[in-house]
Amino acid sequence: MHIVLDDTAMAAAGQGNVLASRLIHRARAEPGWFLCVPSCALVEADRARPGTAEHLAALPGVTFLDLDLPAALAVAQQETWATGHSQYAAQPTADRPDEAIIATTAPERWPAEPVRVLDLTP
């Protein structure tokens, strides 16, 4: 299971959101669970809630995704860098033929996008 945290999910994790905390625990404790943090979304989460980046950086089981050229080209097509990088990170890859799920507390942001969404709203 591959989960991509968008900026809202990252901020929620820093505020003690129970569902986000469960995802973080599973990524650390259960084989086959992967939690991905797109760097552009991390920046936006830290702007919205300072300290979020440091909090996530200290957690085991979290994979940070760089903004490489293909990601940058995808981000350029979106309204915000955070949503663009999150959406790009969720797309199928050769290593992961099934798309990842985007965890969010703002599911209304994603209905027009071709991604699966996990609503973390308590």
Side-chain angles (χ1 to χ4, degrees):
M1 176 77 59
H2 287 81
I3 307 289
V4 174
L5 295 178
D6 77 355
D7 55 312
T8 66
M10 291 180 219
Q15 294 173 325
N17 179 293
V18 174
L19 298 173
S21 295
R22 287 182 186 163
L23 287 177
I24 292 166
H25 173 73
R26 280 198 162 159
R28 182 181 54 85
E30 293 186 31
W33 278 77
F34 303 96
L35 199 58
C36 302
V37 172
S39 56
C40 293
L42 181 62
V43 169
E44 287 303 315
D46 200 67
R47 285 181 180 166
R49 186 175 186 281
T52 300
E54 289 84 6
H55 173 74
L56 288 169
L59 297 174
V62 176
T63 302
F64 295 89
L65 305 175
D66 294 330
L67 184 65
D68 58 10
L69 179 58
L73 295 173
V75 166
Q77 303 300 314
Q78 296 296 322
E79 187 173 325
T80 70
W81 287 42
T83 56
H85 201 186
S86 297
Q87 182 178 352
Y88 175 78
Q91 299 306 310
T93 65
D95 296 340
R96 181 182 33 83
D98 295 328
E99 67 184 357
I101 299 169
I102 296 180
T104 185
T105 60
E108 66 279 358
R109 174 190 287 182
W110 301 102
E113 303 299 335
V115 293
R116 295 185 295 165
V117 173
L118 176 61
D119 187 356
L120 299 182
T121 305

